[in-house]
Amino acid sequence: MKRNIAFLVFMYALGIITAYAVLPETRNAKIYEHLFTELLVDVGVLFLLLSILPQKISVWVKRVCYVVAYVVALIDVYCFVKFDSTITPTMLLLVGETNGQEATEFLQSYLSPDILLSKVGWVLLVLVAHGVWSVISRKDVSRSVECGVRSENSTEIQDSYTKSLVPNSKSHSSLLTPHSSIILLLFFLAIFLFSLIDCWSNKVAFHRLMTYETIGEVEHELTEKNRAVLYQPLYRLAFSIRANQLTAKQVDKLIAGIDKVEVDSCAFTTPHIVLIIGESYNRHHAQLYGYDKATTPRQMKRAQRGELIAYQDVVAPWNLTSFVFKHLFSLYTVGDSGEWCDYPLFPMIFRQAGYHVTFLTNQFLPQAKEAVYDFSGGFFLNNPTLSKAMFDTRNEKLWYYDEGMLKEWDEVFKRREERGKRKGIEEERGERKEERNKRGELTIVHLKGQHLDYRTRSPKDRWHFKRDDYDRPDLRSGEIQRVAYYDNAILYNDSIVDQLIQRVENENAVVIYVPDHGEECYGPGVHFCGRMHSTEITYRLAHEEFDIPFWIWCSHSMMVKEPELYEAIVKAKDRRYMTDALPFLLMHLAGISSKDYRRDLDVLSTEYREQRPRILKNTTDYDKLKKEK
């Protein structure tokens, strides 16, 4: 144990330094409460293992541990300094997709002398101190061995060697009697046992996290209050590797299904379909659904003219964006056999049918600082093979406000128009021209919407609602202010979707608006905003977090050209609906005939099965909750 005391000291110091180095510089940032005890357990286990192993083996084990610990710690802290994020699954994914030239350019751009003065320098100081100690230790060993060579007693050689490994061992040798050594060992084991008890729940949670079989289960686990705290770089690396392994399995299934997509025919009933996907939209804060504040004035005007049809009884299957996205994009619906990745993705079907598919997202672009929720929701959208199979065009930039999506729209369609002019209409002859003219447009726009933090979801010069506008004696002043921020975000969202509609008003177009899920925002008797992931689903929670706005807008020319379709849209507005079946509605609008289309899940079909159970989070029947409220 004396031989490995340096391992215990420096690995423990490295863990402490690393934990403080990646602590965010915010007012409420706190160090992990079990840092000191859990780190002692982690390092202590290895320390005891090294003490048991034969010296020849333990030396190499230590060297491997040192290299891994220091390298991973340096990378983790460096990422935090440069990208404000420790190691994440997305970061690991980006590294895997980086070629040699890109890696060289990255190192040239981001590795500079000033990094030594950052928190990365803290880790380097530990490394240097460890190196200095090792050099001094070796010199002591060398001197001791030289002295031993001159000694005829081999025992003296061993004694001098052992003493050299522990500084000042000679002066303390009288303390290390058999009895005192046993007492010291028992003291260490007592502290170790106490530390293990203190951090046991986190160890159990980490084991649970690492043994799930799907990325969805992993994400749901991370919403629990007793979720694992990945308090060290090695844990974050291990989790990132595991997350990528799980997503790779689902990606492989989706890729295998690309060639199985079949479309019999397409009528292109709606030449341009626009799907707007919102975020965290509580329907009960929408004027369109009876809210007492004018949060959706533009939608109201369109609804009054009969062009916007607001559906009255629509719920989301989950209150997690990533889960909802998998249901929205896959033809899998709740209750089907297998997994969501066993089914085709609807953009693939549209491309196969002849639609030009454009995807503009303000959330799901791979970036180093990406939470596991965004990683889980966007991994299949960002996979190069799947992205190519689903989308003809997509954006490459995220914007602070959703207004940036309008710029993306304009630039994308302007570039396409310019390319069309360069090609020249005269080059398109015969069947090629005819085929080109009948291709439709599917444009998917994914907004930030009302995602927390509400205050940052709309520009200050667009704020309309103030704290004084609310008569809520049940809420504190700060809570009322957050309600105002949320309503301002909805009002801003109203302006964005209206401008998107304006861009297709003169076309034969249909626009569908659907958010991923709802959001708590200080409903009656609740002092909370956000989402309650680990709570049992009650009617109140379903009312706030699963009830969502859902509407379909038709251009005037579409209403004239396809009166039966418009009539079907109007007739369906009061039907019970859950958005996991959205792809079948989209296929109806396009007029796509395929073996994968199901009339009983198409809300516009006369064969729609309205009494299908709407199961929330795979556990709770929404309609039974309504009856029991």
Side-chain angles (χ1 to χ4, degrees), residues 384-397:
T385 303
L386 290 174
S387 180
K388 186 178 179 181
M390 286 189 285
F391 311 122
D392 296 281
T393 307
R394 58 181 301 173
N395 63 310
E396 298 177 351
K397 179 181 178 182

Side-chain angles (χ1 to χ4, degrees), residues 282-413:
N282 185 317
R283 184 174 79 191
H284 310 292
H285 280 253
Q287 180 190 12
L288 188 64
Y289 287 88
Y291 189 52
D292 62 357
K293 298 286 187 295
T295 54
T296 58
R298 300 166 187 85
Q299 292 169 48
M300 288 291 291
K301 288 182 180 179
R302 293 186 180 278
Q304 289 165 1
R305 293 198 294 263
E307 62 193 57
L308 186 151
I309 313 303
Y311 281 53
Q312 300 301 310
D313 192 3
V314 180
V315 297
W318 282 84
N319 58 348
L320 281 168
T321 302
S322 58
F323 277 77
V324 172
F325 256 72
K326 291 162 190 172
H327 283 82
L328 285 182
F329 277 77
S330 170
L331 269 63
Y332 169 88
T333 58
V334 176
D336 288 343
S337 60
E339 292 185 272
W340 69 277
C341 51
D342 296 325
Y343 293 74
L345 302 174
F346 82 79
M348 294 181 185
I349 291 176
F350 271 77
R351 285 201 71 217
Q352 184 80 3
Y355 273 79
H356 183 106
V357 182
T358 300
F359 182 51
L360 307 176
T361 177
N362 206 20
Q363 288 191 60
F364 287 162
L365 288 180
Q367 50 184 330
K369 188 182 179 182
E370 182 176 60
V372 68
Y373 314 107
D374 291 330
F375 168 77
S376 179
F379 74 88
F380 68 97
L381 299 171
N382 295 322
N383 175 270
T385 303
L386 290 174
S387 180
K388 186 178 179 181
M390 286 189 285
F391 311 122
D392 296 281
T393 307
R394 58 181 301 173
N395 63 310
E396 298 177 351
K397 179 181 178 182
L398 298 176
W399 297 79
Y400 193 77
Y401 296 115
D402 280 333
E403 198 166 353
M405 290 292 96
L406 303 176
K407 297 177 182 178
E408 290 286 353
W409 177 296
D410 294 339
E411 289 178 7
V412 162
F413 282 94

Side-chain angles (χ1 to χ4, degrees), residues 381-513:
L381 299 171
N382 295 322
N383 175 270
T385 303
L386 290 174
S387 180
K388 186 178 179 181
M390 286 189 285
F391 311 122
D392 296 281
T393 307
R394 58 181 301 173
N395 63 310
E396 298 177 351
K397 179 181 178 182
L398 298 176
W399 297 79
Y400 193 77
Y401 296 115
D402 280 333
E403 198 166 353
M405 290 292 96
L406 303 176
K407 297 177 182 178
E408 290 286 353
W409 177 296
D410 294 339
E411 289 178 7
V412 162
F413 282 94
K414 182 180 179 181
R415 286 197 301 268
R416 287 181 55 196
E417 184 179 350
E418 290 173 350
R419 282 198 299 268
K421 288 180 180 178
R422 284 197 299 269
K423 288 177 71 175
I425 299 176
E426 66 277 6
E427 295 179 6
E428 301 293 332
R429 293 194 179 97
E431 292 182 3
R432 285 184 60 200
K433 180 176 180 180
E434 184 180 345
E435 181 179 325
R436 181 171 179 260
N437 287 338
K438 77 172 185 177
R439 280 179 62 89
E441 294 278 354
L442 171 64
T443 307
I444 305 168
V445 184
H446 177 211
L447 306 174
K448 281 185 181 178
Q450 292 81 269
H451 199 292
L452 278 170
D453 171 19
Y454 311 139
R455 185 174 59 86
T456 62
R457 293 285 81 87
S458 60
K460 286 185 179 180
D461 61 358
R462 302 285 295 275
W463 289 356
H464 174 75
F465 300 105
K466 305 179 295 297
R467 189 163 36 199
D468 296 340
D469 296 330
Y470 298 84
D471 182 18
R472 291 289 303 274
D474 57 315
L475 298 180
R476 294 184 285 271
S477 176
E479 294 172 336
I480 295 174
Q481 182 61 66
R482 279 190 285 274
V483 173
Y485 288 145
Y486 188 73
D487 288 348
N488 282 323
I490 291 181
L491 181 61
Y492 178 69
N493 179 78
D494 179 66
S495 71
I496 299 301
V497 298
D498 189 73
Q499 290 181 71
L500 289 171
I501 290 175
Q502 290 177 30
R503 281 159 170 75
V504 295
E505 271 187 316
N506 297 322
E507 302 179 29
N508 290 326
V510 170
V511 178
I512 304 98
Y513 179 83

Side-chain angles (χ1 to χ4, degrees), residues 64-115:
V64 171
C65 288
Y66 287 151
V67 171
V68 172
Y70 280 115
V71 168
V72 176
L74 284 168
I75 292 172
D76 192 65
V77 176
Y78 175 84
C79 290
F80 182 80
V81 169
K82 285 295 183 181
F83 308 114
D84 196 26
S85 171
T86 54
I87 295 172
T88 65
T90 302
M91 200 176 290
L92 205 63
L93 187 66
L94 292 172
V95 170
E97 295 173 354
T98 302
N99 58 39
Q101 180 181 349
E102 291 170 335
T104 302
E105 292 173 354
F106 172 85
L107 293 174
Q108 290 174 346
S109 302
Y110 287 96
L111 282 184
S112 54
D114 64 321
I115 200 70

Side-chain angles (χ1 to χ4, degrees), residues 241-276:
I241 292 172
R242 179 59 177 164
N244 276 278
Q245 288 175 339
L246 294 177
T247 56
K249 291 180 182 178
Q250 296 189 337
V251 165
D252 289 343
K253 286 186 176 182
L254 291 169
I255 291 176
I258 292 176
D259 296 332
K260 298 176 183 178
V261 174
E262 295 180 13
V263 174
D264 299 326
S265 63
C266 182
F268 297 94
T269 308
T270 307
H272 195 168
I273 301 172
V274 180
L275 173 63
I276 305 174

